[in-house]
Amino acid sequence: MNIDISAATPDDAAGLAACAAVSFPLACPADSLPGDIERHIATHFTADRFIDTMARPGHTILCLREEGRVMGWSMLVLDQPTDTDVLASLSLAPVAELSKFYVHPEQHGRGSANALMAATLELAATTGLPGAWLGVNQENTRALRFYEKSGFRRVGTKRFLLGDRFEDDFILEQPLPARPVRAA
């Protein structure tokens, strides 16, 4: 496996959009309406939207590429949560949010997700923040197992609007390693 993981650039925007269009539906509950999924992708996962996100301070997208093709991505957000359910659930503050984490199904079972998670958590640790959190749909058992193996633990619940229907998410968090103190 010849993969590269590094920060996304505007040149990756079309590849990110294509990967998101394939991987986002896999994270949705089985009874999600196809039209709601398609609208979410068309609204949130366009090339232009990725370019705009890359330009936002405190937002970093990491790309997992195999032979130059985007095959996974994660997004780390340093904005602090405002959702009252999230705030009430977290034991660590301030926190980095692992806002997005998707791997193309062709990469499942190949160790790519582990490599992307390691790179994402390494990046989060460089912020000096004490913890990271994420939300994951309660029905996404594959992702839940992966996140728990990656060191996250369930701390609460929140809601996610997909189309006109609220989905139920678990809130997961994990402490980040302290940054080493440099000798003066």
Side-chain angles (χ1 to χ4, degrees):
M1 176 171 59
N2 185 18
I3 62 169
D4 168 64
I5 299 171
S6 59
T9 70
D11 290 340
D12 294 310
L16 285 161
C19 185
V22 172
S23 56
F24 177 74
L26 301 175
C28 297
D31 64 347
S32 296
L33 298 175
D36 289 345
I37 294 171
E38 291 166 11
R39 278 188 295 285
H40 189 86
I41 292 168
T43 303
H44 298 283
F45 297 136
T46 65
D48 287 341
R49 189 74 180 257
F50 278 108
I51 290 169
D52 291 344
T53 300
M54 286 179 226
R56 293 182 66 190
H59 289 65
T60 303
I61 298 173
L62 290 181
C63 278
L64 180 146
R65 299 175 199 83
E66 184 175 45
E67 297 177 11
R69 183 175 166 212
V70 176
M71 297 299 285
W73 60 286
S74 65
M75 184 166 65
L76 194 66
V77 176
L78 301 183
D79 297 340
Q80 293 307 293
T82 57
D83 181 292
T84 56
D85 292 329
V86 173
L87 291 169
S89 299
L90 297 177
S91 66
L92 302 166
V95 289
E97 178 186 8
L98 179 48
S99 173
K100 308 284 186 282
F101 191 93
Y102 296 102
V103 175
H104 194 286
E106 290 177 18
Q107 295 294 312
H108 291 178
R110 297 181 61 199
S112 300
N114 290 331
L116 181 59
M117 180 59 77
T120 303
L121 291 174
E122 185 177 303
L123 176 63
T126 67
T127 67
L129 298 173
W133 77 277
L134 61 86
V136 59
N137 188 277
Q138 292 178 10
E139 295 180 31
N140 192 341
T141 56
R142 181 184 186 123
L144 281 165
R145 278 192 311 270
F146 172 75
Y147 292 139
E148 288 172 349
K149 281 185 184 178
S150 298
F152 285 90
R153 64 181 182 83
R154 295 181 204 181
V155 295
T157 60
K158 70 177 195 73
R159 306 195 84 198
F160 173 80
L161 186 61
L162 181 62
D164 295 327
R165 187 174 90 177
F166 280 99
E167 302 293 344
D168 297 311
D169 285 1
F170 286 121
I171 300 165
L172 286 70
E173 78 174 345
Q174 114 165 226
L176 294 171
R179 291 176 82 180
V181 178
R182 293 185 182 186

